[in-house]
Amino acid sequence: MHFHSSVVSERNGVKMRLDKYLKVSRLIKRRTIANDACDAGKIHVNGKIARASYNVKAGDVIEICMGKSPLKVKVCTVTEAVGKERAAEMYEVVS
């Protein structure tokens, strides 16, 4: 098994499912929770309800409608593996 240590984006042909992106970026702690949130219609991408299988790309706007206030972020990078100290670099919070 090998891991890419560099940041890779959609332009390089790397795609990532929405549920996995939410876990890797640590927006949601577990992939199963991310999957359940997608099934429940609580995750929107670019203004539309998104399925867990949606392929995330840089520039997408993800809105997570869980808890008291929704969280809206713009995808900056799509990276297979990232440490928790760098996970927040994968997105930027938008209002």
Side-chain angles (χ1 to χ4, degrees), residues 15-91:
K15 295 179 182 178
M16 186 180 292
R17 287 173 50 103
L18 176 58
D19 57 346
K20 185 173 180 185
Y21 181 85
L22 292 170
K23 181 206 176 287
V24 171
S25 65
R26 289 170 171 75
L27 286 165
I28 295 181
K29 280 187 178 172
R30 292 192 182 89
R31 191 166 174 179
T32 52
I33 295 171
N35 215 309
D36 292 344
C38 290
D39 290 346
K42 295 182 177 187
I43 310 292
H44 294 75
V45 177
N46 302 325
K48 297 178 187 161
I49 292 174
R51 299 181 65 132
S53 59
Y54 174 84
N55 281 321
V56 176
K57 59 190 175 302
D60 281 344
V61 175
I62 300 172
E63 189 170 0
I64 303 167
C65 303
M66 293 170 64
K68 292 187 180 184
S69 56
L71 174 65
K72 196 181 229 181
V73 299
K74 182 177 179 185
V75 176
C76 296
T77 60
V78 178
T79 307
E80 271 303 311
V82 65
K84 80 175 158 187
E85 61 283 339
R86 299 200 55 206
E89 295 173 16
M90 293 180 68
Y91 60 88

